[in-house]
């Protein structure tokens, strides 16, 4: 593929990857350890992801179990969960922290789907902005002795990429929405 197009495809790929990562942090009624990905605890003065200081498991469909490697971290992990926007109440027995996921209400599910669609829309806007940047860059090629046909061809290729990534974003939205609405 043309290296003039490659960098824009890479940017679109990153946008889609970032969106999919964001979707993995949205909880859909069943326990997903990825919702803890953004949480960090103070570990000897360094903010450290929970997964690096504890064993995180999903023993049941609606429970995450966090077993810190050092029991002194229990309070710090609990605090990190409480101050996060997860809306979960951790319970601990001195060795293990358990996060119980309540069954999502119909209203909460619809709110989550709206949120997914809003994030998807933002990802699609980002992809379209990349297309616009590419087309602006291609227009500047006229000054560098690149033919109109070649510039049009580059524009068409970027449009095909844009269509592909918009379709991928839509597919991710549909998949996550179905997952959220499945009771």
């Amino acid at each position: 593929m043309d290296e003039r197009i490659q960098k824009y495809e890479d940017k679109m790929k990153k946008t889609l990857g970032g969106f999919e990562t964001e979707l993995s942090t949205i909880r859909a009624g069943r326990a997903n350890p990825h919702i803890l990905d953004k949480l960090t605890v103070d570990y000897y003065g360094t903010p450290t992801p929970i997964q690096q200081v504890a064993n995180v498991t999903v023993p049941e469909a609606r429970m995450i179990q966090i077993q810190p490697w050092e029991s002194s971290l229990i309070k710090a992990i609990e605090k990190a969960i409480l101050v996060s926007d997860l809306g979960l109440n951790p319970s601990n027995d001195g060795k293990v922290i358990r996060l119980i996921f309540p069954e999502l209400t119909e209203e909460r599910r619809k709110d989550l789907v709206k949120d997914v669609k809003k994030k998807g829309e933002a990802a699609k806007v980002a992809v379209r902005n990349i297309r616009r940047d590419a087309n602006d860059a291609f227009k500047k090629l006229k000054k560098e002795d690149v033919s109109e046909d070649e510039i049009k061809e580059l524009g068409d290729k970027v449009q095909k990429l844009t269509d592909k990534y918009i379709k991928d974003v839509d597919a991710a939205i549909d998949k996550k929405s179905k997952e959220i609405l499945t009771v």
Side-chain angles (χ1 to χ4, degrees):
M1 179 179 269
D2 193 326
E3 73 275 351
R4 291 177 291 196
I5 298 232
Q6 187 63 51
K7 71 177 181 181
Y8 297 107
E9 179 172 22
D10 292 345
K11 287 180 181 179
M12 288 181 187
K13 208 176 275 174
K14 275 192 186 121
T15 301
L16 178 66
F19 173 61
E20 288 173 337
T21 302
E22 208 174 358
L23 286 186
S24 74
T25 66
I26 295 175
R27 64 187 189 97
R30 57 176 71 76
N32 179 346
H34 287 295
I35 68 159
L36 302 173
D37 285 355
K38 292 179 184 165
L39 300 186
T40 58
V41 291
D42 187 35
Y43 185 61
Y44 297 109
T46 308
T48 310
I50 289 178
Q51 282 89 336
Q52 291 180 18
V53 295
N55 191 12
V56 179
T57 56
V58 183
E60 296 170 27
R62 293 206 331 247
M63 180 198 291
I64 291 180
Q65 191 168 296
I66 305 165
Q67 188 167 13
W69 293 315
E70 296 176 26
S71 55
S72 60
L73 286 169
I74 284 207
K75 286 280 176 244
I77 292 173
E78 243 182 349
K79 186 176 175 220
I81 292 166
L82 286 169
V83 298
S84 73
D85 59 358
L86 296 176
L88 293 172
N89 259 339
S91 65
N92 85 63
D93 61 9
K95 289 188 182 76
V96 174
I97 297 172
R98 289 184 182 81
L99 298 175
I100 308 291
F101 288 75
E103 190 64 64
L104 292 175
T105 63
E106 188 66 27
E107 192 177 321
R108 181 71 183 125
R109 288 176 193 277
K110 286 179 179 158
D111 287 346
L112 285 172
V113 169
K114 272 186 205 156
D115 192 36
V116 165
K117 287 182 178 165
K118 194 161 55 179
K119 285 176 171 30
E121 206 42 59
K124 290 197 272 190
V125 166
V127 168
R128 291 185 193 114
N129 286 341
I130 294 166
R131 173 189 61 195
R132 189 194 59 226
D133 293 347
N135 285 331
D136 290 349
F138 298 153
K139 282 178 190 149
K140 289 178 184 151
L141 292 175
K142 278 183 189 169
K143 296 177 185 125
E144 297 173 23
D145 272 352
V146 177
S147 73
E148 295 249 348
D149 288 346
E150 205 176 332
I151 290 171
K152 184 177 177 351
E153 192 179 314
L154 288 169
D156 291 347
K157 285 179 180 174
V158 165
Q159 183 58 50
K160 281 191 180 94
L161 280 177
T162 303
D163 294 343
K164 174 193 179 301
Y165 282 97
I166 297 268
K167 198 189 294 170
D168 290 349
V169 168
D170 282 334
I173 292 171
D174 287 347
K175 183 179 172 206
K176 189 67 178 184
S177 297
K178 279 190 186 91
E179 183 186 322
I180 290 169
L181 293 172
T182 303
V183 179

